[in-house]
């Protein structure tokens, strides 16, 4: 059973007791990400995420921080997204107090030592360069830039080399103070722990976090008109492509129909794209689709990696699948299969304490409450083939279509002629 417990100053605690497990997972969800950053601040949320692992008042070195959790067999990590930064730990239940004390100290008393800032600046610069040197990753950044241009959704969450070079320790500290406070923080816990145990230890660990008011992300401006093709020619052995469309936002009433649409087209080995492009034609090893939903915008895309000589045929086959679903929708059999797939995935996720804590924390942060699993299942069950056809026609529009390609291929005109629905 999920317990939602409001603490002082606007801090929200979620506790889901799972007594059959032997672990406890903790997620600290901060409502700030790349979507809150101006061009000059690009990468700041991600930079701060790195800095919280460099040392805090009670845990002054990276090794002490990592040893505190890894030394007892646990896991400690973090990630930055468009609208949130998440710090999380998973430990045996007997080590919960140790884990929450560490996370509280990291959030409350990061050192931001200028010497560590310079070290981490180099690390993040290398991270950006590694992405640029990895075509299967860089193609997504190229697609975002092609679709969204000069705004948060159009750039790497880690920023740019230029923006990272311009950030000072004082800038990071000021941004952290503006966003890291009780009104912008969700603590989500799942595992072998009672709500009363969690409340006492969370209150103690987070007592010095100040009050504050959460700030919204920067509004997203409309994407560029398409269809557009963007090529990054290199000497890699494969052509990586990402074909993107404007999607839907988090609270859109079509989000369950969008889930079904995405799953049927590219959401697994039985999906249309995998069966056609990989199994039937043998064109690519990696192909699939994905959806991203933000507070006021979204994206849906098809991605893949293919022999450059097969790129045109692969895009042709992809476009044929998109035209087919836009014209005819999906079958009743496909709809039933996806519904069972979604229900099975939900049930399997309940076996892992971090999956439970992550879902609860993310929902609370983005929706203001945790959507009950039964409601999700009911909403998916209510989707009809007509709903999926409507979403297909809503999303698959030429004016919102963009194609990014990274690899040894420079015939943009040849690709451009394929982009029609």
């Amino acid at each position: 059973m999920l317990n939602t417990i409001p603490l002082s100053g606007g801090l929200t605690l979620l506790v889901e007791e799972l007594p059959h497990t032997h672990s406890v997972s903790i997620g600290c969800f901060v409502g700030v990400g790349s979507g809150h950053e101006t061009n000059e601040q690009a990468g700041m949320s991600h930079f701060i995420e790195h800095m919280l692992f460099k040392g805090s008042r009670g845990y002054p070195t990276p090794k002490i921080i990592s040893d505190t959790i890894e030394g007892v067999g646990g896991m400690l990590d973090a990630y930055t997204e468009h609208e949130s930064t998440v710090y999380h730990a998973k430990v045996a239940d007997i080590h919960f107090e140790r884990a929450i004390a560490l996370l509280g100290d990291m959030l409350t008393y990061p050192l931001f030592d200028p010497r560590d800032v310079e070290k981490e600046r180099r690390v993040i610069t290398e991270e950006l360069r590694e992405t640029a040197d990895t075509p299967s990753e860089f193609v997504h950044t190229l697609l975002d830039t092609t679709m969204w241009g000069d705004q948060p959704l159009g750039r790497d969450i880690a920023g740019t080399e230029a923006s990272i070079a311009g950030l000072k320790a004082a800038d990071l500290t000021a941004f952290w103070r503006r966003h890291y406070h009780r009104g912008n923080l969700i603590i989500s816990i799942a595992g072998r722990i009672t709500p009363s145990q969690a409340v006492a230890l969370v209150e103690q660990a987070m007592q010095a976090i100040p009050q504050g008011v959460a700030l919204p992300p920067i509004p997203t401006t409309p994407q560029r008109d398409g269809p557009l093709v963007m090529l990054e020619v290199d000497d890699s052995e494969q052509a990586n492509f990402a074909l993107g469309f404007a999607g839907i936002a988090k609270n859109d009433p079509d989000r369950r129909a969008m889930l079904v649409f995405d799953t049927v087209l590219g959401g697994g080995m039985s999906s249309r794209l995998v069966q056609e492009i990989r199994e039937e034609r043998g064109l690519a090893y990696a192909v699939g689709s994905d959806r991203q939903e933000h507070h006021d915008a979204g994206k849906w895309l098809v991605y893949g990696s293919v022999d450059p000589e097969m790129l045109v045929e692969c895009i042709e086959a992809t476009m044929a699948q998109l035209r087919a679903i836009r014209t005819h929708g999906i079958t009743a059999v496909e709809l039933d299969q996806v519904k069972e797939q979604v229900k099975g995935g939900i049930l399997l996720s309940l076996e892992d304490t971090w999956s439970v804590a992550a879902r609860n924390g993310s929902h609370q942060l983005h929706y203001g409450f945790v959507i009950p699993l039964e409601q999700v299942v009911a909403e998916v069950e209510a989707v009809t083939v007509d709903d999926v056809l409507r979403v297909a026609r809503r999303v698959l529009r030429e004016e919102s279509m963009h194609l990014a390609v990274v690899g040894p291929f420079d015939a943009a005109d040849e690709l451009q002629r394929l982009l029609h629905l």
Side-chain angles (χ1 to χ4, degrees):
M1 178 180 175
L2 175 64
N3 296 269
T4 303
I5 306 166
L7 302 180
S8 61
L11 178 63
T12 300
L13 172 63
L14 306 173
V15 183
E16 184 147 354
E17 187 176 0
L18 303 172
H20 61 283
T21 67
H22 293 282
S23 68
V24 179
S25 289
I26 311 161
C28 302
F29 292 76
V30 187
V32 62
S34 62
H36 295 78
E37 300 164 354
T38 64
N39 286 344
E40 294 75 21
Q41 296 171 328
M44 191 171 285
S45 300
H46 175 257
F47 205 139
I48 290 171
E49 175 212 313
H50 277 232
M51 289 306 302
L52 263 62
F53 284 81
K54 300 301 288 185
S56 63
R57 189 177 70 178
Y59 306 82
T61 70
K63 181 167 174 43
I64 292 174
I65 288 176
S66 61
D67 283 351
T68 299
I69 301 301
E70 293 180 3
V72 293
M75 295 175 287
L76 178 68
D77 208 346
Y79 55 89
T80 303
E81 298 184 320
H82 183 67
E83 296 169 12
S84 61
T85 308
V86 182
Y87 304 85
H88 58 100
K90 182 177 182 179
V91 294
D93 61 297
I94 58 175
H95 298 303
F96 171 77
E97 184 174 358
R98 166 189 289 248
I100 193 64
L102 169 66
L103 288 167
D105 208 73
M106 290 170 63
L107 291 169
T108 310
Y109 303 112
L111 298 180
F112 289 111
D113 187 319
R115 294 168 297 182
D116 287 332
V117 169
E118 293 309 313
K119 292 178 187 176
E120 212 58 27
R121 190 192 314 280
R122 293 193 295 271
V123 170
I124 294 171
T125 299
E126 290 306 311
E127 182 180 353
L128 289 168
R129 291 172 179 172
E130 182 178 340
T131 298
D133 287 341
T134 308
S136 60
E137 295 182 16
F138 181 65
V139 71
H140 293 279
T141 302
L142 185 63
L143 175 63
D144 289 341
T145 301
T146 304
M147 288 183 66
W148 302 105
D150 191 21
Q151 60 176 317
L153 281 180
R155 60 177 180 252
D156 194 310
I157 285 174
T160 66
E161 286 195 39
S163 66
I164 295 303
L167 298 179
K168 306 293 190 296
D171 301 324
L172 298 172
T173 303
F175 195 85
W176 164 74
R177 285 179 176 152
R178 190 175 306 122
H179 294 282
Y180 280 62
H181 52 71
R182 301 177 81 86
N184 204 30
L185 177 61
I186 308 294
I187 308 296
S188 179
I189 300 170
R192 193 183 181 93
I193 189 169
T194 66
S196 59
Q197 289 173 317
V199 167
L201 292 171
V202 169
E203 287 275 31
Q204 180 180 349
M206 306 291 171
Q207 61 182 332
I209 293 180
Q211 297 186 23
V213 177
L215 300 175
I218 297 170
T220 303
T221 58
Q223 68 167 72
R224 294 173 170 177
D225 289 336
L228 289 177
V229 175
M230 183 67 71
L231 300 182
E232 181 74 21
V233 181
D234 66 14
D235 59 356
S236 57
E237 295 184 358
Q238 288 188 303
N240 286 269
F241 72 90
L243 176 66
F245 298 81
I248 65 173
K250 287 183 184 295
N251 285 302
D252 195 290
D254 275 336
R255 66 184 184 274
R256 305 305 180 203
M258 183 71 185
L259 168 62
V260 174
F261 164 80
D262 174 55
T263 305
V264 169
L265 267 173
M269 290 301 295
S270 60
S271 66
R272 290 186 180 187
L273 286 169
V274 173
Q275 287 298 309
E276 176 67 16
I277 292 173
R278 174 174 169 166
E279 302 301 338
E280 292 297 325
R281 299 192 183 215
L283 295 175
Y285 171 74
V287 65
S289 67
D290 190 22
R291 69 192 196 284
Q292 297 175 8
E293 298 167 3
H294 307 296
H295 77 288
D296 64 351
K299 178 178 70 174
W300 182 78
L301 72 150
V302 176
Y303 59 87
S305 180
V306 63
D307 186 311
E309 294 185 0
M310 300 297 175
L311 177 63
V312 170
E313 183 181 351
C314 189
I315 300 298
E316 284 180 329
T318 298
M319 294 303 301
Q321 290 296 320
L322 300 188
R323 284 191 289 269
I325 199 169
R326 189 176 186 272
T327 302
H328 305 293
I330 66 172
T331 67
V333 171
E334 287 176 317
L335 180 60
D336 289 341
Q337 288 176 336
V338 169
K339 288 178 178 179
E340 292 305 311
Q341 185 177 339
V342 170
K343 287 188 287 186
I346 288 174
L347 292 174
L348 287 175
S349 72
L350 298 178
E351 296 184 356
D352 177 65
T353 57
W354 171 236
S355 294
V356 174
R359 178 185 184 274
N360 292 344
S362 177
H363 277 217
Q364 186 70 37
L365 184 65
H366 296 305
Y367 300 115
F369 65 100
V370 178
I371 303 173
L373 293 171
E374 297 80 6
Q375 180 180 332
V376 174
V377 171
E379 289 174 354
V380 173
E381 286 283 7
V383 173
T384 66
V385 291
D386 289 338
D387 293 332
V388 179
L389 179 60
R390 183 185 65 254
V391 165
R393 291 174 175 173
R394 176 182 173 186
V395 172
L396 299 177
R397 296 178 294 112
E398 288 187 5
E399 62 269 25
S400 76
M401 179 165 44
H402 299 78
L403 174 64
V405 176
V406 178
F409 190 95
D410 60 1
D413 291 344
E414 192 172 0
L415 296 174
Q416 185 75 48
R417 68 176 176 80
L418 303 177
L419 302 185
H420 63 87
L421 294 167

